[in-house]
Amino acid sequence: MPIASRVAVLVTAAGRSERFGGVKKELLRLGQRSILDAAIEPFISLDSLCALVITAPPGREQELEAGLEPDTRAALRARLADRFLVVAGGAERRDSVRLGLGALARILGQDLAAGCLVLIHDAARPFASPELVHRVGEIAAREGACVPVVPLVDTPKELGPDGRITAHPPRSSLGAAQTPQGFTLLPLIAAHERAVRESVECTDDAELWARYIGPVAWTAGEATNRKITFPGDLDRHRDLPAKEPEPLRGTPPPFRVGQGWDIHRLVPGRELRIGGVVVPFELGEEAHSDGDVLLHAVTDALLGAAALGDIGSLFPPSDPQWRDADSRGLLRSVLALLREHGYRPGTLDSTVTIERPRLGPHRGAICESLAACMGLDVSAVSLKAKTREGLDSVGSGQAVEASAIVTLFPV
């Protein structure tokens, strides 16, 4: 399903790579392709893609275009023709974004630019998933602007110029922004132009939007959506995009099956989250993360099908970075891991057992949420709601239980 009738993409690659020793990091290789090529990949398959612009250091436009694989350039030319461009950026990132947005407006023209959505992505982030791209675009099309955010790992402090800490903001209210970020194109261009006229300095496009247009929505980012900033980052991740699935002994099966199960105590003061949907109720799951019992079962089923461990080994409750973590983000991280090993989900059959409240009225919303998280059509997702007829801890209303069975297919 298209996220908007028209989607333009701006990939920023005009930086000087000073923290990388001046080497143009986007042109370095990750496996069999460049960082730039890997960063662009999740956008090429967008159904409503109408234009793609890359910003490059002035004078290096042809070099950046040559950094794309021949089949990537061919696909972009065949689909977009002259609406695929590599243009010169500016001295700072905000200047490059403004120049890139102007190029998009020129090649689209007023009619196509009106109502168009723009996704802005940092070319040094080669690990963003198609699911993240689609989710950011979907929310931005609805809300006007959307930024993916991941929880902070370390406790933040506000620093004063005198060498003292001036404030201790709660980590739960803060997050680190990622890309791609989505905006309605023409209002964002107007915000950039106004900032230039008023000599306003903003650190990113979301800040400009919030200053001149309105609120910015956020969605869970991905732990795997890392940015290549220092040479050591490339050393740690050099093999990821080229990694092949582990060979199977004998004849590889046409698909794999996994099952997952979880149970959580129900306590006051917590939200009841089922499959990414908040179900109104006076009790919620007690857990280190947000406690979504169904997503935990689904995540374990996926890991089990691929023989990649379990949710507790990847996101241990002893690690403070996962406190109150959004289980949808954990699930997306696991889906990215599966792709690295050559698998994709095919179907999901799940059961939630809870005495109260009735889940029937929420079944449709939960199935849609699960389908969106997993990149599946809703017809491939099943949810059954059961009770324990008053038996054991679930039947007495003290707990909620979930189970899931998934199929995986080769990518």
Side-chain angles (χ1 to χ4, degrees):
M1 180 179 180
I3 57 181
S5 58
R6 290 182 297 280
V7 178
V9 174
L10 173 58
V11 179
T12 60
R16 295 182 292 272
S17 300
E18 291 177 345
R19 289 177 290 184
F20 214 87
V23 176
K24 195 60 185 154
K25 60 189 176 186
E26 293 89 350
L27 298 178
L28 297 178
R29 308 294 288 182
L30 274 173
Q32 301 303 310
R33 55 185 174 168
S34 68
I35 292 173
L36 176 63
D37 193 84
I40 287 175
E41 182 186 28
F43 301 95
I44 295 177
S45 61
L46 288 173
D47 293 337
S48 45
L49 180 67
C50 63
L52 191 146
V53 165
I54 302 170
T55 61
R60 302 182 69 177
E61 294 90 338
Q62 291 185 347
E63 182 184 2
L64 263 290
E65 183 172 345
L68 297 174
E69 294 302 301
D71 57 345
T72 300
R73 292 197 302 272
L76 289 169
R77 292 293 182 202
R79 183 168 181 191
L80 301 176
D82 58 358
R83 293 200 298 272
F84 164 54
L85 285 178
V86 182
V87 302
E92 303 293 338
R93 184 185 184 277
R94 60 180 177 273
D95 303 316
S96 296
V97 171
R98 178 170 50 80
L99 292 169
L101 293 173
L104 283 172
R106 288 193 300 274
I107 62 179
L108 288 172
Q110 187 65 33
D111 290 342
L112 287 179
C116 184
L117 186 74
V118 61
L119 296 174
I120 302 176
H121 189 51
D122 192 330
R125 287 189 186 270
F127 305 108
S129 73
E131 291 81 8
L132 179 64
V133 169
H134 192 279
R135 181 159 34 90
V136 168
E138 190 174 48
I139 297 173
R142 183 176 68 244
E143 303 289 340
C146 180
V147 171
V149 176
V150 291
L152 294 183
V153 175
D154 299 313
T155 300
K157 302 296 179 186
E158 186 176 298
L159 307 180
D162 59 354
R164 292 183 173 88
I165 293 174
T166 58
H168 306 265
R171 183 170 56 187
S172 60
S173 67
L174 301 173
Q178 298 183 326
T179 66
Q181 301 180 3
F183 307 89
T184 307
L185 176 60
L186 292 183
L188 182 62
I189 291 176
H192 271 273
E193 292 173 345
R194 184 172 174 185
V196 171
R197 291 195 302 270
E198 298 178 1
S199 299
V200 170
E201 298 290 338
C202 288
T203 57
D204 70 355
D205 305 299
E207 186 178 350
L208 271 180
W209 185 278
R211 182 184 183 94
Y212 293 123
I213 310 297
V216 177
W218 68 273
T219 187
E222 296 174 332
T224 52
N225 183 22
R226 298 175 294 270
K227 184 177 180 181
I228 304 296
T229 303
F230 302 101
D233 299 331
L234 185 61
D235 293 337
R236 285 193 296 271
H237 309 309
R238 188 179 295 276
D239 66 331
L240 285 182
K243 189 173 183 179
E244 298 294 332
E246 293 295 325
L248 298 173
R249 297 185 183 275
T251 303
F255 62 90
R256 305 186 74 163
V257 178
Q259 65 89 26
W261 172 90
D262 201 16
I263 187 169
H264 284 292
R265 189 187 308 275
L266 293 172
V267 296
R270 297 275 294 185
E271 288 182 326
L272 179 61
R273 292 179 174 269
I274 305 292
V277 174
V278 176
V279 177
F281 192 50
E282 66 265 28
L283 304 176
E285 294 109 326
E286 183 181 51
H288 184 68
S289 66
D290 66 4
D292 194 317
V293 67
L294 179 53
L295 288 187
H296 292 179
V298 171
T299 302
D300 256 353
L302 291 167
L303 290 168
L308 292 174
D310 60 30
I311 191 171
S313 61
L314 267 66
F315 314 105
S318 58
D319 191 335
Q321 73 171 303
W322 308 121
R323 179 171 295 281
D324 296 325
D326 188 334
S327 295
R328 293 171 298 181
L330 306 184
L331 173 58
R332 292 179 184 114
S333 295
V334 167
L335 290 169
L337 179 64
L338 292 178
R339 283 193 299 275
E340 293 171 12
H341 283 75
Y343 301 115
R344 60 174 177 83
T347 59
L348 165 64
D349 183 24
S350 62
T351 301
V352 175
T353 307
I354 188 170
E355 209 65 13
R356 288 188 311 116
R358 288 170 51 85
L359 294 184
H362 308 283
R363 181 183 284 111
I366 294 171
C367 286
E368 290 178 1
S369 173
L370 290 168
C373 286
M374 300 177 68
L376 297 174
D377 190 273
V378 72
S379 64
V381 175
S382 169
L383 171 66
K384 301 180 288 293
K386 302 289 186 179
T387 71
R388 278 286 173 81
E389 303 293 337
L391 300 174
D392 70 23
S393 60
V394 175
S396 63
Q398 300 177 62
V400 57
E401 182 182 53
S403 62
I405 297 175
V406 300
T407 57
L408 293 183
F409 293 87
V411 173

